[in-house]
Amino acid sequence: RNLDLHDLLKRVKHYDSTRRKDALWGLRELFAAHGATSKLLQRSLSVVFRTIANTMVDTDKGVRDALYTLLEVVLPCIDVVSVATPFLQRLVAYAGSAMTSMEREIRMDAVRFVNLLLDWNADGIRTEQNRLSLLPSLVSVLSSISLVNATSGIQHQSHAFSVGGTAMTRDGIRSDSKKNRLGAQYAADRHIQKVLMTIEKLIGGGD
């Protein structure tokens, strides 16, 4: 494809999700090969972050995953002492926005991004300003998981006791409904654990 930085950044804004995803992967390859040594890429970090940060709230899972893999490569190229602050503030702002999304997958991916930022620059993330920004959003995600799980349990129970010609076990609870409920509970518990671990890392207890 041989696309340069300008072309890749332009494609990150493309209406087609496949183009956006491919552009982020292209940027990853570019930074993996030259990010630590290229003065052009170093000087372009500001425009790169302005362009890619918005994909944290992209509705396409593949695009968000591509952003994550890109950040894994780009973040180590940034001097956390002298130039990290403006990039960090932008990413924190978008992570906070993503955690208020109506879509559960976007919210959970945002938690994953916060973990990545903590692994990269824990001291920068743990400033009072960033904590005040991120903690309420993380608690909101935690509450949303609990609420959805409780609602799902009620729905499964209601369905299990319906008698519209469905097969019932002896105690009146359909076995498939029970399996679905247990599966949903397990997934919810995993999500809750991830959020709680992120909160612990953010307040400094998860190093």
Side-chain angles (χ1 to χ4, degrees):
R1 295 171 185 175
N2 297 322
L3 298 176
D4 62 16
L5 180 63
H6 174 77
D7 291 331
L8 290 169
L9 291 175
K10 187 175 180 179
R11 291 198 177 197
V12 171
K13 302 176 183 178
H14 200 276
Y15 69 88
D16 182 73
S17 61
T18 300
R19 293 289 186 92
R20 298 196 299 274
K21 179 180 67 176
D22 289 346
L24 291 169
W25 277 105
L27 287 169
R28 183 190 186 281
E29 293 175 2
L30 192 62
F31 274 92
H34 308 291
T37 58
S38 170
K39 292 183 178 180
L40 173 61
L41 290 181
Q42 289 291 325
R43 291 196 301 266
S44 302
L45 282 172
S46 181
V47 67
V48 168
F49 274 90
R50 283 201 305 270
T51 304
I52 69 174
N54 188 55
T55 59
M56 198 179 292
V57 293
D58 199 287
T59 56
D60 188 278
K61 172 68 172 172
V63 173
R64 299 194 305 275
D65 286 345
L67 173 64
Y68 187 91
T69 61
L70 170 58
L71 289 176
E72 285 183 310
V73 170
V74 174
L75 292 177
C77 298
I78 301 173
D79 185 343
V80 297
V81 176
S82 60
V83 298
T85 300
F87 307 129
L88 188 62
Q89 290 175 341
R90 182 175 294 273
L91 292 172
V92 165
Y94 273 97
S97 176
M99 284 190 285
T100 64
S101 170
M102 296 295 291
E103 295 192 27
R104 181 186 62 185
E105 286 192 353
I106 294 179
R107 296 196 299 270
M108 290 310 303
D109 277 346
V111 175
R112 192 162 62 119
F113 282 116
V114 173
N115 266 299
L116 179 62
L117 294 177
L118 281 164
D119 290 339
W120 166 59
N121 187 3
D123 290 340
I125 285 286
R126 290 171 182 157
T127 64
E128 183 177 2
Q129 178 183 356
N130 288 332
R131 282 181 177 179
L132 290 175
S133 173
L134 291 173
L135 277 175
S137 297
L138 286 165
V139 172
S140 177
V141 173
L142 194 62
S143 299
S144 71
I145 297 170
S146 301
L147 178 60
V148 169
N149 188 44
T151 302
S152 176
I154 293 172
Q155 289 174 341
H156 280 301
Q157 186 177 25
S158 175
H159 180 66
F161 284 99
S162 65
V163 291
T166 57
M168 311 284 282
T169 61
R170 179 179 301 176
D171 62 356
I173 301 177
R174 293 179 61 197
S175 58
D176 62 336
S177 179
K178 184 176 181 180
K179 290 178 181 178
N180 291 339
R181 186 170 68 253
L182 291 175
Q185 179 65 57
Y186 176 73
D189 288 346
R190 287 180 57 197
H191 289 326
I192 289 172
Q193 184 178 20
K194 289 178 182 178
V195 179
L196 288 175
M197 289 176 61
T198 303
I199 290 174
E200 184 179 8
K201 286 172 68 174
L202 182 60
I203 63 178
D207 292 327

Short mmCIF file of all heavy atoms in Angstrom, two decimals, residues 104 107 143-155 188:
data_model
loop_
_atom_site.label_atom_id
_atom_site.label_comp_id
_atom_site.label_asym_id
_atom_site.label_seq_id
_atom_site.Cartn_x
_atom_site.Cartn_y
_atom_site.Cartn_z
N ARG A 104 -22.29 -0.95 25.72
CA ARG A 104 -21.49 -1.61 26.76
C ARG A 104 -20.08 -1.92 26.30
O ARG A 104 -19.11 -1.74 27.05
CB ARG A 104 -22.19 -2.91 27.20
CG ARG A 104 -21.44 -3.66 28.31
CD ARG A 104 -22.09 -5.00 28.59
NE ARG A 104 -22.05 -5.85 27.42
CZ ARG A 104 -22.62 -7.06 27.35
NH1 ARG A 104 -23.31 -7.51 28.38
NH2 ARG A 104 -22.54 -7.78 26.25
N ARG A 107 -17.88 1.06 26.50
CA ARG A 107 -17.54 1.37 27.90
C ARG A 107 -16.44 0.46 28.42
O ARG A 107 -15.48 0.90 29.06
CB ARG A 107 -18.79 1.26 28.78
CG ARG A 107 -19.89 2.25 28.47
CD ARG A 107 -20.88 2.33 29.61
NE ARG A 107 -21.56 1.07 29.88
CZ ARG A 107 -22.69 0.67 29.32
NH1 ARG A 107 -23.28 1.46 28.42
NH2 ARG A 107 -23.25 -0.48 29.63
N SER A 143 -21.61 0.60 37.96
CA SER A 143 -23.05 0.64 38.27
C SER A 143 -23.87 0.11 37.10
O SER A 143 -24.86 -0.59 37.28
CB SER A 143 -23.48 2.06 38.61
OG SER A 143 -22.80 2.55 39.74
N SER A 144 -23.44 0.46 35.88
CA SER A 144 -24.20 0.02 34.70
C SER A 144 -24.13 -1.49 34.53
O SER A 144 -25.11 -2.12 34.14
CB SER A 144 -23.67 0.72 33.44
OG SER A 144 -22.39 0.24 33.08
N ILE A 145 -22.98 -2.10 34.87
CA ILE A 145 -22.85 -3.55 34.78
C ILE A 145 -23.79 -4.21 35.78
O ILE A 145 -24.51 -5.16 35.46
CB ILE A 145 -21.41 -3.99 35.05
CG1 ILE A 145 -20.48 -3.43 33.99
CG2 ILE A 145 -21.31 -5.52 35.09
CD1 ILE A 145 -19.01 -3.62 34.32
N SER A 146 -23.80 -3.70 37.00
CA SER A 146 -24.66 -4.26 38.05
C SER A 146 -26.12 -4.13 37.69
O SER A 146 -26.92 -5.05 37.89
CB SER A 146 -24.38 -3.57 39.39
OG SER A 146 -23.02 -3.71 39.76
N LEU A 147 -26.50 -2.98 37.12
CA LEU A 147 -27.90 -2.74 36.76
C LEU A 147 -28.33 -3.67 35.63
O LEU A 147 -29.39 -4.29 35.69
CB LEU A 147 -28.08 -1.29 36.34
CG LEU A 147 -29.50 -0.89 35.87
CD1 LEU A 147 -30.50 -1.12 36.98
CD2 LEU A 147 -29.52 0.57 35.42
N VAL A 148 -27.49 -3.79 34.61
CA VAL A 148 -27.82 -4.66 33.48
C VAL A 148 -27.91 -6.10 33.94
O VAL A 148 -28.79 -6.86 33.53
CB VAL A 148 -26.77 -4.52 32.36
CG1 VAL A 148 -26.95 -5.60 31.30
CG2 VAL A 148 -26.87 -3.14 31.72
N ASN A 149 -27.01 -6.52 34.83
CA ASN A 149 -27.01 -7.88 35.31
C ASN A 149 -28.28 -8.19 36.11
O ASN A 149 -28.89 -9.25 35.95
CB ASN A 149 -25.78 -8.13 36.18
CG ASN A 149 -25.62 -9.58 36.56
OD1 ASN A 149 -25.78 -10.46 35.72
ND2 ASN A 149 -25.30 -9.84 37.81
N ALA A 150 -28.66 -7.24 36.95
CA ALA A 150 -29.88 -7.44 37.74
C ALA A 150 -31.12 -7.50 36.84
O ALA A 150 -31.99 -8.34 37.02
CB ALA A 150 -30.03 -6.30 38.75
N THR A 151 -31.18 -6.62 35.85
CA THR A 151 -32.31 -6.61 34.93
C THR A 151 -32.36 -7.90 34.12
O THR A 151 -33.43 -8.47 33.90
CB THR A 151 -32.19 -5.41 33.96
OG1 THR A 151 -32.13 -4.21 34.72
CG2 THR A 151 -33.38 -5.36 33.02
N SER A 152 -31.18 -8.37 33.69
CA SER A 152 -31.12 -9.61 32.92
C SER A 152 -31.62 -10.79 33.75
O SER A 152 -32.34 -11.66 33.25
CB SER A 152 -29.68 -9.86 32.46
OG SER A 152 -29.57 -11.08 31.79
N GLY A 153 -31.26 -10.81 35.04
CA GLY A 153 -31.71 -11.88 35.91
C GLY A 153 -33.21 -11.90 36.06
O GLY A 153 -33.84 -12.96 36.04
N ILE A 154 -33.81 -10.73 36.18
CA ILE A 154 -35.26 -10.65 36.29
C ILE A 154 -35.94 -11.13 35.02
O ILE A 154 -36.93 -11.86 35.04
CB ILE A 154 -35.69 -9.20 36.61
CG1 ILE A 154 -35.20 -8.81 38.01
CG2 ILE A 154 -37.21 -9.05 36.52
CD1 ILE A 154 -35.41 -7.35 38.34
N GLN A 155 -35.37 -10.74 33.87
CA GLN A 155 -35.94 -11.14 32.59
C GLN A 155 -35.87 -12.65 32.40
O GLN A 155 -36.81 -13.28 31.94
CB GLN A 155 -35.21 -10.43 31.45
CG GLN A 155 -35.52 -8.94 31.38
CD GLN A 155 -34.68 -8.23 30.33
OE1 GLN A 155 -33.65 -8.74 29.89
NE2 GLN A 155 -35.12 -7.05 29.93
N ALA A 188 -20.69 -10.83 33.60
CA ALA A 188 -20.82 -9.61 34.40
C ALA A 188 -19.77 -9.58 35.51
O ALA A 188 -19.17 -8.53 35.78
CB ALA A 188 -22.22 -9.52 35.00
#
